[in-house]
Amino acid sequence: MKITNVEVLVTSPGRNFVTLRITADGLTGLGDATLNGRELAVAAYLQEHVAALLIGRDASRIEDAWQYLYRGAYWRRGPVTMAAIAAVDTALWDIKAKAAGMPLYQLLGGRSRDGLLAYGHASGAELPELFDSIRQHLDEGYRAIRVQSGIPGLPSVYGVASSANAAAGAGSDARYDYEPARRSAVPVEETWDTSAYLRHVPSVFEAVRNEFGPELPLLHDAHHRLTPIQAARLGKSLEPYDLFWLEDVTPAENAAVLRRVREHTTTPLAIGEVFNTVWDYREMFEEQLIDYVRSPVTHAGGITGLRRIFDFASVYQIKSGAHGPTDVSPVGLAAALHLGVAIPNFGIQEYMQHSPATLEVFRSGFTFADGLLNPSDAPGLGVEYDDEVAAAHAYAPAYLPVNRLRDGSMHDW
Ligand code: EZ4
Ligand code: CO
C-alpha cells in the first residue's frame, strides 16, 4: 500500500485551515494541520520537509510513520512539528479505515458509549445576553454549557460575543465574534485587569445557578491568565457553583504551580489545549494535578499521539476533554469523535460549531442530537474535502488578539 501523492491544502472559508491529503492505492486520507495564527508554518513544514519523505512509504505502517517523523526530526515536540505529525497520522488512519471498509472508531476498539457529551460556548457582555445565549444553546440540545461573561470596565474579553451577537443561533459565526471574525494583518490589542475579573466571575456563576438550577453542567475558561494564588482563589470562590471544570487557570508552561492551586480548591481542573505530547502531561498526571486533558488530535500528534496521552491519563482516573474550537477543522473534530467514542475514559467534548461556509468545504457526516456528538458511520473519518469550494476561499493572515495590562505591559490573552 504505497503512498503515491501528498498534498498540502490551505483554504479559508471564514477562517484559515490547513489540511493534508495522502493518496495510497487509490484511497485518500485527510488530516488536520491547522495552527491558528501560525498556519503557514505548518503548511511549509509539511510541504518542504515531510511530503517527499512519505512518497513510496507503506501507508499501513502508521506507528512507524509516527516514530519516523517524531524521532527522525531530531528536533522533537512543539506545536508546529506535532500538528504536522498529527496530520500525517490522521490521514493514514483515515486510509486504513477506508481500506477496511469501517468507520475509524471500529479500528480503535469499537464503541464504548452511545455518543459524546458535548459542551457549547455561551457568552454575554451582561447577564441578560448571557442568559439568552445559554437558553439558545439549551434549545439546540446542549446538555453542558461553557459560561464566559463580560467584565465591568473591560471593553472586550476572550470568549464573550458582543451584545448584538451573543444569542445568534446555530450555524452563525456571529456568536463567536470574539475570535475568528476579527481577522486582521496584525493582532487586535485588548486590555486586561485580573482584579476586576476575580471580583466579577463568582457573581456571574451565582446568577446562572439561580436562573438555571443546580443540575446543568457549567464550565469556565480562565485562558492562562492567573497566577497560582489567584487561580486558587478563583477555584475556591467558584466551589459553591459546582463547575464541571475550570480550564487553563495558569499558564501551561509550569506544571508545578498547579500543586498550589490543588492545595486550595476541589473545583475540577482542565488543562492542555496548548500541550503537544504525553511528556507535557507527565508531572500533572503522576501527581494528579488535573482532572481533564484538553489536547485535540490536531495538536497532539494525531490519533496515535492523543490515544497515548488518554491511556496514560486513565491510569490516574483523569478523563478526556478534547479541545474543539472552530480553529480545529472538521477533519480534526471528526478524528476526536472517533477516538472519543472508543476510549474508556471519555469526559466531555468541546463543540463550538463550524460555520456553514466551513462545512461546505469539509463535507462531514458527524451528527449532533440531544446534546450528543457522534462520528460518521461511513468508512474512514467520514469527511470529504471539496476542492472546488475550497479554491474560492483564499488564505488571508489572521491572528488571535493580544492582551495588555492597563500600564501597557503584555499579559496572557
Ligand atoms: O482560544 O482555540 O477552550 N477553548 C479555547 C479556544 C482558543 C482558540 C485559540 O486558537 O481556549 O477558543
Ligand atoms: Co480554552
Side-chain angles (χ1 to χ4, degrees):
M1 205 188 209
K2 275 198 179 5
I3 295 175
T4 51
N5 201 14
V6 179
E7 300 158 277
V8 181
L9 311 165
V10 179
T11 183
S12 192
R15 62 175 315 135
N16 298 317
F17 294 108
V18 178
T19 307
L20 189 71
R21 182 165 56 201
I22 298 179
T23 307
D25 268 6
L27 296 172
T28 60
L30 298 175
D32 179 24
T34 307
L35 188 61
N36 194 12
R38 295 294 185 271
E39 297 89 352
L40 298 187
V42 190
Y45 190 110
L46 286 166
Q47 190 65 61
E48 306 300 329
H49 302 294
V50 173
L53 309 185
L54 296 178
I55 301 294
R57 290 180 62 90
D58 181 351
S60 66
R61 295 176 60 167
I62 301 176
E63 180 69 41
D64 185 66
W66 199 99
Q67 299 293 337
Y68 181 74
L69 294 173
Y70 183 80
R71 294 173 195 260
Y74 186 71
W75 310 108
R76 55 190 66 189
R77 308 199 293 165
V80 175
T81 297
M82 297 312 290
I85 293 176
V88 174
D89 182 82
T90 306
L92 294 181
W93 276 108
D94 192 14
I95 289 173
K96 192 182 277 291
K98 282 180 181 172
M102 292 179 186
L104 175 54
Y105 68 82
Q106 292 292 5
L107 300 192
L108 301 174
R111 273 184 188 276
S112 287
R113 57 192 52 76
D114 301 331
L116 306 184
L117 178 67
Y119 75 90
H121 282 207
S123 72
E126 306 276 349
L127 286 179
E129 290 107 301
L130 174 61
F131 287 4
D132 286 349
S133 173
I134 293 173
R135 278 190 204 102
Q136 180 75 47
H137 282 81
L138 294 175
D139 288 348
E140 287 164 35
Y142 281 100
R143 296 186 200 165
I145 309 274
R146 190 184 87 159
V147 172
Q148 305 291 128
S149 152
I151 309 298
L154 299 181
S156 57
V157 180
Y158 162 74
V160 183
S162 62
S163 295
N165 292 329
S172 169
D173 267 344
R175 71 175 171 192
Y176 310 129
D177 72 359
Y178 44 84
E179 198 259 291
R182 290 194 288 156
R183 296 156 68 104
S184 64
V186 293
V188 171
E189 306 228 343
E190 297 182 344
T191 304
W192 179 250
D193 180 340
T194 302
S195 301
Y197 170 78
L198 291 176
R199 280 194 302 273
H200 188 63
V201 172
S203 70
V204 172
F205 277 88
E206 184 183 18
V208 170
R209 277 286 175 231
N210 286 341
E211 182 73 13
F212 294 94
E215 284 171 24
L216 179 64
L218 299 176
L219 302 85
H220 180 68
D221 191 346
H223 229 245
H224 313 281
R225 299 191 204 101
L226 307 178
T227 66
I229 209 68
Q230 291 166 343
R233 179 177 149 201
L234 180 64
K236 220 169 153 176
S237 62
L238 292 176
E239 275 172 26
Y241 315 114
D242 188 24
L243 267 60
F244 185 97
W245 79 33
L246 178 59
E247 175 184 349
D248 288 341
V249 279
T250 52
E253 294 94 324
N254 192 352
V257 302
L258 290 170
R259 281 186 213 126
R260 188 70 67 243
V261 181
R262 281 293 218 209
E263 281 166 11
H264 292 282
T265 183
T266 56
T267 294
L269 301 178
I271 209 161
E273 69 186 39
V274 302
F275 290 1
N276 315 114
T277 71
V278 73
W279 302 102
D280 300 331
Y281 284 102
R282 187 186 57 77
E283 191 179 351
M284 293 182 187
F285 288 175
E286 288 174 350
E287 297 194 35
Q288 274 178 298
L289 299 178
I290 60 172
D291 302 283
Y292 295 94
V293 169
R294 291 291 285 140
S295 286
V297 168
T298 306
H299 301 136
I303 300 272
T304 300
L306 191 56
R307 186 165 65 174
R308 195 157 284 140
I309 293 171
F310 286 162
D311 281 346
F312 185 21
S314 75
V315 173
Y316 301 96
Q317 294 172 286
I318 295 168
K319 294 188 172 186
S320 75
H323 199 201
T326 50
D327 48 283
V328 165
S329 88
V331 174
L333 178 64
L337 302 187
H338 285 281
L339 185 57
V341 87
I343 57 170
N345 55 331
F346 172 79
I348 201 166
Q349 172 67 48
E350 184 178 20
Y351 181 46
M352 202 173 150
Q353 293 192 25
H354 292 102
S355 69
T358 299
L359 295 173
E360 275 172 33
V361 174
F362 299 93
R363 293 203 306 266
S364 306
F366 60 79
T367 59
F368 177 59
D370 301 326
L372 301 182
L373 281 161
N374 256 303
S376 166
D377 270 315
L381 283 172
V383 183
E384 281 173 41
Y385 189 89
D386 190 319
D387 288 275
E388 232 169 85
V389 180
H393 300 290
Y395 167 83
Y399 294 97
L400 290 163
V402 298
N403 255 342
R404 290 188 188 278
L405 301 179
R406 292 194 189 278
D407 71 355
S409 32
M410 285 290 298
H411 192 70
D412 299 281
W413 182 71

